[in-house]
């Protein structure tokens, strides 16, 4: 872009949501990334500050628009629906719960993150004032590890990354 290739600049402007005829040229790769990438750290009360800080640092380094989101309200609401039915509150293994309870609670967290990622993908462009339409594509990364006490069952936690998908005018 800095070399002035007009075709590259036109594509970059379109992808970044610039109006037709705009002369915008991003000053840095991070400025361009901020227009097309949205990253989220979807932590809970069980998340460490170390992983939150790593997510913030990575987003800053690449220039992404970044949000720290607490998912405890979502997971609590889901568990409360189950409690309303059963009058029994599942617990994490670290709080005396069983393997089944632990896996269920971890799965609620992982699935809540993906639902929230799709909400962000549809609304962040509008929230950020993008008038030309478009949406974000959701990409997720996962930490997958076997849980020895579960006989090899797998737990995964999704960490969504979203980037802009340009709309055709």
């Amino acid at each position: 872009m800095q070399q002035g290739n007009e075709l590259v600049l036109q594509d970059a402007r379109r992808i970044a949501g610039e109006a037709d005829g705009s002369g915008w040229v991003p000053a840095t790769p991070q400025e361009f990334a901020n227009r097309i990438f949205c990253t989220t750290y979807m932590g809970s009360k069980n998340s460490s500050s170390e992983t939150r800080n790593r997510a913030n640092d990575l987003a800053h380094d690449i220039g992404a628009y970044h949000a720290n989101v607490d998912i405890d309200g979502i997971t609590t609401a889901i568990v409360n629906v189950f409690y309303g039915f059963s009058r029994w509150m599942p617990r994490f293994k670290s709080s005396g719960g069983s393997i089944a309870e632990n896996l269920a609670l971890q799965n609620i967290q992982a699935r809540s993150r993906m639902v929230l990622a799709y909400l962000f993908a549809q609304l962040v462009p509008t929230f950020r004032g993008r008038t030309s339409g478009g949406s974000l594509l959701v990409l997720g990364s996962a930490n997958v590890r076997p849980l020895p006490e579960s006989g090899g069952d797998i737990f995964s936690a999704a960490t969504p990354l979203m980037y802009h998908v340009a709309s055709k005018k």
Side-chain angles (χ1 to χ4, degrees):
M1 282 188 267
Q2 297 305 318
Q3 295 172 351
N5 182 317
E6 195 54 41
L7 183 58
V8 171
L9 286 169
Q10 286 174 8
D11 286 344
R13 289 175 187 133
R14 180 180 50 81
I15 292 167
E18 285 292 308
D20 288 339
S22 168
W24 176 73
V25 177
T28 65
Q30 289 81 5
E31 181 183 352
F32 182 65
N34 185 268
R35 300 284 292 273
I36 65 168
F37 285 109
C38 172
T39 57
T40 57
Y41 179 79
M42 298 183 193
S44 72
K45 61 186 175 189
N46 302 311
S47 301
S48 73
S49 59
E50 182 181 340
T51 56
R52 184 179 303 270
N53 291 339
R54 276 188 264 162
N56 286 332
D57 291 346
L58 177 60
H60 177 266
D61 289 349
I62 64 173
Y65 179 78
H66 184 72
N68 282 304
V69 179
D70 181 358
I71 64 165
D72 288 326
I74 297 168
T75 56
T76 297
I78 293 170
V79 170
N80 284 340
V81 169
F82 179 77
Y83 179 79
F85 157 75
S86 67
R87 297 291 182 235
W88 178 66
M89 188 62 72
R91 297 172 295 165
F92 282 100
K93 191 163 175 36
S94 61
S95 297
S98 68
I99 293 170
E101 291 170 83
N102 200 58
L103 288 173
L105 293 172
Q106 289 177 354
N107 277 319
I108 290 169
Q109 289 179 339
R111 303 315 164 247
S112 296
R113 286 179 175 109
M114 288 312 298
V115 170
L116 195 55
Y118 285 104
L119 178 69
F120 270 60
Q122 291 177 321
L123 296 179
V124 164
T126 302
F127 166 76
R128 294 193 67 199
R130 185 183 182 95
T131 57
S132 62
S135 60
L136 301 172
L137 174 68
V138 176
L139 302 174
S141 68
N143 298 323
V144 180
R145 68 180 192 274
L147 297 173
E149 67 274 10
S150 69
D153 289 341
I154 293 177
F155 159 71
S156 66
T159 306
L161 166 71
M162 297 165 275
Y163 73 92
H164 185 277
V165 177
S167 62
K168 299 270 186 198
K169 291 184 181 179

